[in-house]
Amino acid sequence: MSENKLINSPIRFVKGVGEKRAALFNKIGIFDIEDLVHYFPREYEDRRHIFSISALAEGMTCCIKAPVLTMAAERRFKYNLSVFSLAIDDGTGSINVFWFSSPKYKRKFERGTEYIFYGKVVSRNGWLQFELIEAEVANKNAKTGKILPVYPLTKGINQTNLRSMMASVMDSIDRFEDVLPPSVLAKNNLMDYDKALRCIHFPDDMDDFEAARRRFVFEELFILQLSLNYMKDIRADADGIIFPDISCGREFVDSLPYELTSAQKRAIREICDDFQSGKPMNRLVQGDVGSGKTVVAACAMHIAVRNGYQAALMAPTEILAAQHYNTFQKFFGDKFKIALLTGSVSGKKKLLDGIANGEYDIVIGTHAIIEDNVEFKNLGFCVTDEQHRFGVSQRSKLSSKAEFCHVLVMSATPIPRTLALILYGDLDITIIDSKPAGRQDIDTFCVNDSVRGRAYGFVRKQLEEGRQAYVVCPLVEESESLDAVASVQYAEKLQKDVFPEYTVGLLHGKMKPKEKDEVMTRFKNGEINLLVSTTVIEVGVDVPNANIMVIENAERFGLSQLHQLRGRVGRGNFKSYCVLITNSQNDATKQRMQVMTSTNDGFKISQKDLELRGCGEFFGTRQHGLPELKVANLFTDIDILKDAQTQCEELLQENPHLYGPDCERLKERITHMFDKFDGADIFN
Ligand code: ADP
Ligand code: MG
């Protein structure tokens, strides 16, 4: 069988994998051999050196080689747990080796036989001892002498299984065919694919590993770059709708009760230029929470409708969609007809008909807008709010409702411009870098449980002044239902025991959309003084009179999420506060809290988030809507990212359609990436 075929054969054909194990692998996204060999180690165990017992020091994780002096002794201290120990002597000294295990399972050691013990040197009562991880007879088949991969595991698959499977796959395939063209390898001094794959799993030394890793980081970023570039090209080649009259935007701006900031004006100007360029707009507006992105979108929608087209806006939550609907009704009065389309609205048939026959000028909604049954008469402009909550595929699905209509995506999780320029290679970028006049920084405090009473006192003081408050509930776990239950109890307690003289409201994800709507309206109208909420208010919610937020279990949230949550206050001219409550003494938590209490700048915070968390999670769909990066760390690998970017431009200049056999595998990968983006057919 040719390598190509073999590498795409299902995981079940690997030695040692049956139906059952194959299903386990499928669960973690491994379907064929190619997926398996791309399942990279999380770290390595260096078993190359054997240390003499006299050289051991506390904290070392290493190998020692010695014959067994005394046989294993057992001390049981629980029904199903014993500690076993034996003494060894390698001529330079002796040490006690111990391990914990079930009494039923006894390792066999023979007195006098020489073993290699791999484990950790610990100190107990002032004596060095050796906590065993693994032992094997010291013969020529021993694993010692190698650097061993440590894979992230899943239930039912252990380290030894995975290592031996990986090794047998490596043995069974003579050569893994490279994805990158030879010219790209040469120019960037990259290790070839076959060698890099073998090195990343079973490196001979750490230099080897570094070179292999660099190659995979490059590959990952390079393919992402190429894919984004294609996406951009497809749209750049298309004809865009031209809106001849943009002066009507002025009319909208003049109707506002406030003066736009210069950053907002600049954003509108850039959008207007796009509207007249003859190319479809594909623009990202990045602006910190509270910088006033909604009004920019509204102005652009006004222009689209005035020019005879429909406009749509998609928001990630029902709460936010309903809020935008209300805001837009205020903006446009009865000049335009606006539809609210969410999963739960009633009279959907009539709405859909109205959208299809052009009765509605503007459609605001959730994911419901991109469902197949929604047809527009002449959609000319669509906006995705809080785009980081949607995948690239969803945002492209909205624009596909009308081929090559103008697209605006808005994000409040800003990232540094240099990075954004590369990562959102398919988008033009506008940054709203200032906030409306009169906004004050939010004072943020981090406290522990013991001063909760004082925190409530501080909240009361704000309520007495006529302000409103958010209390973000204790998170129970990653389960919306359990969090909902916790929030109900918490709200009851606050109402009864702490704030009996005020009205406490409750908002959680399990409530019916209509109930959520009612609560939000009552909060907005000031009928609810204090809103207890789960993270459903994380994005977009805008109630300028609310000026204080208490966040429980602050340690459970990432930096970007905390910043988003906090962004619910500080949206008016009132001095605003955020109280983070946590008992965690964990270093990473302390660092995050320190960042939160020292800055309000979303750009700084996201930079820090990136630094502290690495990129996997940070750039997952939830945060930025990009495919998750497996190897690259955008903070530490920024130089490789730049190289990949440059190389991408060069290659596309030389060979824009990626013709020729050298690029075959590369094209396959890009197409695969587009499957994830749910995008167009790019190579026809
Ligand atoms: P975000 O950028 O987080 O989406 P919004 O668009 O919700 O922010 O705006 C936040 C608040 O600021 C809203 O209450 C909005 O009415 C108000 N706002 C927007 N632009 C201005 C401005 N130029 N002057 C004063 N207030 C403004
Ligand atoms: Mg917003």
Side-chain angles (χ1 to χ4, degrees):
M1 220 187 308
S2 89
E3 292 85 358
N4 249 339
K5 288 256 169 52
L6 196 56
I7 196 162
N8 289 321
S9 51
I11 184 81
R12 163 165 62 77
F13 296 129
V14 175
K15 215 171 97 191
V17 182
E19 291 279 333
K20 228 165 125 194
R21 221 173 248 170
L24 293 174
F25 275 114
N26 291 170
K27 261 206 198 137
I28 51 172
I30 298 177
F31 294 91
D32 60 15
I33 293 183
E34 183 161 28
D35 296 331
L36 180 69
V37 296
H38 282 139
Y39 193 70
F40 291 164
R42 145 171 79 78
E43 57 182 352
Y44 299 86
E45 282 172 13
D46 192 346
R47 300 203 195 172
R48 282 173 303 172
H49 304 293
I50 291 182
F51 287 79
S52 40
I53 293 178
S54 62
L56 298 182
E58 190 183 347
M60 286 168 74
T61 301
C62 61
C63 292
I64 41 187
K65 183 161 97 175
V68 170
L69 213 59
T70 61
M71 292 301 288
E74 177 182 349
R75 198 155 52 83
R76 192 179 293 211
F77 51 72
K78 264 190 207 152
Y79 159 71
N80 58 356
L81 194 67
S82 290
V83 59
F84 293 86
S85 63
L86 50 77
I88 57 172
D89 189 327
D90 70 350
T92 72
S94 64
I95 195 165
N96 194 38
V97 176
F98 72 96
W99 65 96
F100 297 95
S101 134
S102 152
K104 272 188 284 185
Y105 176 71
K106 292 196 171 110
R107 287 180 202 244
K108 289 202 179 64
F109 287 100
E110 271 171 38
R111 197 164 152 189
T113 304
E114 198 172 43
Y115 293 89
I116 295 168
F117 300 91
Y118 176 73
K120 193 171 172 190
V121 184
V122 296
S123 167
R124 284 166 117 201
N125 311 325
W127 292 91
L128 289 187
Q129 304 216 9
F130 198 72
E131 182 170 2
L132 188 64
I133 297 172
E134 203 174 323
E136 60 180 339
V137 176
N139 60 25
K140 70 177 188 0
N141 294 324
K143 292 181 218 161
T144 314
K146 294 178 191 141
I147 300 175
L148 292 181
V150 179
Y151 296 99
L153 295 177
T154 179
K155 214 174 159 219
I157 298 172
N158 70 31
Q159 205 58 254
T160 314
N161 293 151
L162 204 49
R163 278 178 191 154
S164 69
M165 278 172 53
M166 210 62 93
S168 92
V169 168
M170 293 289 154
D171 282 346
S172 68
I173 293 186
D174 289 339
R175 191 175 166 71
F176 292 94
E177 207 185 316
D178 214 316
V179 182
L180 301 177
S183 63
V184 171
L185 292 180
K187 252 192 239 163
N188 296 280
N189 202 3
L190 299 172
M191 188 184 264
D192 78 63
Y193 186 60
D194 183 73
K195 179 157 186 224
L197 262 185
R198 293 172 201 278
C199 284
I200 203 115
H201 291 289
F202 302 104
D204 284 336
D205 57 51
M206 283 335 251
D207 289 345
D208 244 23
F209 159 75
E210 282 301 335
R213 181 180 179 280
R214 182 167 159 270
R215 184 235 139 84
F216 286 114
V217 170
F218 184 96
E219 177 185 314
E220 181 167 49
L221 296 171
F222 180 66
I223 289 172
L224 177 64
Q225 286 298 298
L226 275 174
S227 309
L228 291 173
N229 256 293
Y230 271 104
M231 210 128 90
K232 183 170 190 165
D233 283 354
I234 292 171
R235 291 182 60 86
D237 286 345
D239 287 334
I241 304 162
I242 292 180
F243 296 155
D245 174 21
I246 53 162
S247 62
C248 58
R250 170 115 315 267
E251 189 189 307
F252 174 82
V253 173
D254 288 343
S255 75
L256 294 170
Y258 44 72
E259 168 85 12
L260 290 180
T261 64
S262 54
Q264 286 171 319
K265 287 182 193 159
R266 194 182 57 234
I268 293 175
R269 220 173 304 126
E270 288 177 359
I271 292 168
C272 287
D273 288 347
D274 290 349
F275 280 163
Q276 302 212 295
S277 69
K279 295 285 164 207
M281 166 165 78
N282 208 17
R283 184 170 291 281
L284 169 70
V285 173
Q286 284 204 82
D288 210 344
V289 276
S291 61
K293 294 179 290 294
T294 314
V295 67
V296 171
C299 180
M301 289 167 91
H302 177 98
I303 295 171
V305 175
R306 271 307 179 75
N307 280 272
Y309 288 89
Q310 287 172 301
L313 182 147
M314 180 163 74
T317 63
E318 296 222 0
I319 295 173
L320 193 50
Q323 174 184 294
H324 281 322
Y325 178 70
N326 293 329
T327 310
F328 278 57
Q329 275 186 325
K330 277 191 209 120
F331 280 145
F332 299 124
D334 29 297
K335 265 193 299 193
F336 301 151
K337 222 171 151 201
I338 309 176
L340 175 64
L341 187 64
T342 61
S344 66
V345 291
S346 52
K348 205 173 248 171
K349 169 97 179 53
K350 228 174 132 235
L351 268 179
L352 293 179
D353 287 347
I355 295 168
N357 67 29
E359 186 189 328
Y360 289 105
D361 305 304
I362 290 179
V363 182
I364 292 174
T366 54
H367 297 88
I369 299 193
I370 53 175
E371 268 163 33
D372 289 336
N373 59 359
V374 184
E375 268 175 52
F376 288 83
K377 181 167 177 238
N378 61 347
L379 182 63
F381 175 48
C382 58
V383 184
T384 314
D385 192 17
E386 307 291 347
Q387 67 85 29
H388 60 285
R389 286 303 199 83
F390 298 101
V392 181
S393 66
Q394 285 167 316
R395 97 180 178 230
S396 66
K397 208 157 168 193
L398 176 58
S399 57
S400 71
K401 290 281 167 191
E403 217 181 352
F404 305 125
C405 76
H406 295 295
V407 174
L408 185 71
V409 297
M410 305 200 290
S411 171
T413 308
I415 55 173
R417 187 176 192 112
T418 41
L419 205 55
L421 278 176
I422 306 178
L423 281 175
Y424 296 115
D426 62 325
L427 301 170
D428 296 314
I429 296 173
T430 292
I431 294 183
I432 299 189
D433 51 6
S434 59
K435 290 194 178 170
R439 294 283 171 79
Q440 305 172 47
D441 272 350
I442 304 165
D443 283 350
T444 302
F445 310 95
C446 179
V447 301
N448 64 29
D449 222 21
S450 65
V451 291
R452 180 183 303 276
R454 273 174 61 196
Y456 290 150
F458 191 52
V459 170
R460 172 169 291 108
K461 219 169 119 207
Q462 303 307 316
L463 298 182
E464 280 165 6
E465 304 268 319
R467 301 287 78 74
Q468 289 162 284
Y470 293 99
V471 176
V472 178
C473 257
L475 274 181
V476 179
E477 50 188 297
E478 288 284 305
S479 147
E480 224 183 302
S481 316
L482 288 175
D483 285 342
V485 173
S487 67
V488 173
Q489 293 164 350
Y490 189 51
E492 276 170 6
K493 183 169 158 275
L494 281 186
Q495 176 73 82
K496 226 174 82 213
D497 303 342
V498 191
F499 297 103
E501 72 275 40
Y502 290 106
T503 308
V504 174
L506 170 67
L507 200 65
H508 62 70
K510 288 283 153 183
M511 281 160 58
K512 292 210 183 74
K514 215 171 140 238
E515 294 168 341
K516 284 189 212 162
D517 221 32
E518 264 171 39
V519 171
M520 269 326 288
T521 310
R522 287 178 58 214
F523 189 55
K524 199 146 193 166
N525 295 340
E527 293 159 37
I528 290 172
N529 308 100
L530 185 148
L531 184 63
V532 174
S533 173
T534 57
T535 53
V536 287
I537 52 145
E538 180 184 334
V539 292
V541 167
D542 184 46
V543 179
N545 188 49
N547 78 327
I548 180 159
M549 171 175 280
V550 176
I551 303 179
E552 298 277 355
N553 293 133
E555 74 281 357
R556 303 267 185 105
F557 301 98
L559 266 180
S560 297
Q561 206 183 0
L562 285 173
H563 182 61
Q564 283 290 319
L565 279 168
R566 178 173 65 177
R568 298 314 111 220
V569 298
R571 301 174 80 82
N573 292 335
F574 305 110
K575 178 75 196 161
S576 298
Y577 307 92
C578 176
V579 182
L580 306 167
I581 301 187
T582 175
N583 287 333
S584 165
Q585 289 300 316
N586 174 294
D587 277 346
T589 305
K590 280 190 196 151
Q591 262 180 315
R592 288 207 299 279
M593 299 306 134
Q594 202 276 330
V595 175
M596 286 301 291
T597 51
S598 62
T599 182
N600 272 284
D601 181 336
F603 285 86
K604 277 200 196 129
I605 288 174
S606 68
Q607 176 83 30
K608 208 65 199 171
D609 200 12
L610 192 57
E611 189 182 326
L612 294 177
R613 269 203 292 184
C615 56
E617 228 185 312
F618 186 84
F619 279 99
T621 310
R622 218 179 116 69
Q623 293 297 342
H624 290 274
L626 288 171
E628 195 179 323
L629 296 173
K630 287 199 180 128
V631 216
N633 174 325
L634 290 169
F635 190 72
T636 49
D637 295 327
I638 187 83
D639 288 337
I640 307 181
L641 179 57
K642 284 180 188 149
D643 290 346
Q645 164 83 350
T646 313
Q647 179 59 69
C648 170
E649 279 162 18
E650 271 177 38
L651 180 66
L652 287 178
Q653 226 159 40
E654 285 161 22
N655 184 0
H657 299 284
L658 302 183
Y659 287 134
D662 282 355
C663 293
E664 262 326 294
R665 292 259 292 145
L666 190 56
K667 277 206 294 209
E668 265 170 41
R669 279 286 196 85
I670 296 171
T671 313
H672 194 61
M673 187 74 125
F674 268 82
D675 289 345
K676 288 189 199 157
F677 288 169
D678 201 16
D681 185 4
I682 42 172
F683 292 113
N684 60 7

